[in-house]
Amino acid sequence: MRDRIALPDWNSLARLDDASLPLLGTALLIARDEYPDLDAGQYDALLQGHAAGMRDEIDAIGHWALKMRAINRHLFEELGYAGDHDRYYDPRNSYLNEVFERRRGNPLSLALVQMEVARRLGVPLDGVSFPGHFLVRLPVDDGVLVMDPFNRGRPLDVDELRQRARPHLGGDAPDDEALSQILNPASHRAILMRVLRNLHGVYSEGGDWERATRSADRLLKLSPNDADALRDRGLGYLHMGHNSGARADLARYLQLHPRARDAMKVRAKLVELGGAGRVS
């Protein structure tokens, strides 16, 4: 049976608020760009099976942290999900159907699997857009439990979180307030945009401008005024020889972000394209 879950329409996503944006459905919609015959219902049923196989056990556990430990054991030890340490930047690690099939993924895609299974079992697991590797978090009695999905759901203490954040914050470890802000739950929109940014980075680094441009275009379906996505789509169009599209996107980027660090380079590209290189 095909698509027992209804995938959203790309053109509807910008109108949905973050709470209404379906996480699994949109992640599979992203994958369908690369795998047009993808059967979304198959993967929804797979997740249901993952959860059903341990529902009685989870219901019998009283504490959130112990429930999560059992879920992690089921996913990472019994079912064999694991971080793809050997081919971290393989784009298959960002396509959820491939993650289900191969049982390999990157931190973000493994977090999506964790979150979907945990939530189906009544465990309120959220994602964290931590700098570097994506993490997950669970409220517990005395605060929040933060875990690393790329390393079998291993819990992380405050000191390790500070050290992980340090290289992304100019070498300074965040204080308590800054760390608390970093650990805020990520919205569905933020998670899905991070999936697409990862794909854009992999494809642009490899010179696959058709797929890189597609990833930037999909970002704009989620957030039409995202300046970086406009720039990235414009540069992708430029590489592909679509000069009119490049001109429109790069000009719009400068309107939204006139003091961007790369503004001079973007203006130079516009001049090359026959534009004025100035925006009001």
Side-chain angles (χ1 to χ4, degrees):
M1 182 183 298
R2 184 182 176 87
D3 287 2
R4 287 172 289 181
I5 63 170
L7 296 189
D9 177 79
W10 278 113
N11 293 322
S12 72
L13 298 181
R15 299 191 298 271
L16 297 177
D17 60 37
D18 288 343
S20 302
L21 191 63
L23 185 58
L24 176 63
T26 309
L28 290 172
L29 186 66
I30 292 169
R32 182 169 279 180
D33 276 340
E34 189 66 18
Y35 303 89
D37 295 327
L38 177 151
D39 179 355
Q42 171 187 347
Y43 301 109
D44 180 55
L46 180 68
L47 280 170
Q48 294 282 20
H50 287 354
M54 59 181 320
R55 189 174 303 280
D56 290 344
E57 177 186 1
I58 298 303
D59 287 346
I61 298 173
H63 194 277
W64 289 125
L66 296 179
K67 287 177 185 281
M68 199 64 230
R69 181 187 297 174
I71 291 170
N72 287 338
R73 183 182 66 249
H74 184 57
L75 289 175
F76 298 114
E77 296 180 18
E78 298 169 10
L79 295 178
Y81 286 94
D84 193 345
H85 293 268
D86 295 330
R87 302 189 66 181
Y88 185 88
Y89 294 105
D90 188 326
R92 292 179 298 174
N93 290 327
S94 289
Y95 291 122
L96 207 52
N97 60 316
E98 287 281 3
V99 176
F100 288 132
E101 297 289 350
R102 299 169 58 241
R103 304 288 167 97
R104 292 292 180 272
N106 59 29
L108 181 49
S109 61
L110 292 172
L112 282 168
V113 175
Q114 262 187 307
M115 290 164 63
E116 286 293 328
V117 171
R119 289 174 177 183
R120 288 163 195 250
L121 291 166
V123 178
L125 190 66
D126 284 314
V128 176
S129 283
F130 203 81
H133 282 190
F134 197 85
L135 304 174
V136 293
R137 52 165 281 166
L138 179 71
V140 292
D141 294 339
D142 55 349
V144 62
L145 173 64
V146 181
M147 292 163 282
D148 180 358
F150 195 63
N151 288 291
R152 302 163 68 92
R154 182 172 68 83
L156 305 174
D157 63 24
V158 170
D159 289 339
E160 183 170 356
L161 289 167
R162 287 199 173 99
Q163 290 306 312
R164 285 188 176 211
R166 183 190 292 272
H168 306 278
L169 301 175
D172 296 324
D175 60 20
D176 288 347
E177 183 177 355
L179 185 60
S180 177
Q181 290 294 317
I182 292 171
L183 293 175
N184 279 336
S187 70
H188 287 185
R189 192 177 307 274
I191 292 170
L192 294 161
M193 290 181 71
R194 186 158 170 162
V195 172
L196 287 163
R197 288 194 180 102
N198 286 346
L199 284 167
H200 177 270
V202 167
Y203 287 134
S204 58
E205 185 71 22
D208 188 342
W209 293 108
E210 181 177 351
R211 287 182 170 87
T213 305
R214 180 184 71 194
S215 300
D217 180 71
R218 294 318 199 187
L219 275 162
L220 290 165
K221 295 294 188 183
L222 285 164
S223 182
N225 289 321
D226 186 277
D228 288 348
L230 275 166
R231 176 202 59 207
D232 292 341
R233 188 176 68 176
L235 293 174
Y237 282 152
L238 185 61
H239 280 283
M240 297 168 66
H242 299 329
N243 290 350
S244 61
R247 187 181 301 112
D249 279 354
L250 296 179
R252 177 66 175 150
Y253 170 69
L254 290 177
Q255 288 177 336
L256 292 171
H257 209 359
R259 291 186 173 85
R261 291 185 178 182
D262 59 355
M264 290 183 63
K265 292 182 179 179
V266 173
R267 289 189 180 95
K269 295 289 186 185
L270 279 172
V271 170
E272 293 174 16
L273 287 165
R278 296 180 63 185
V279 292
S280 58

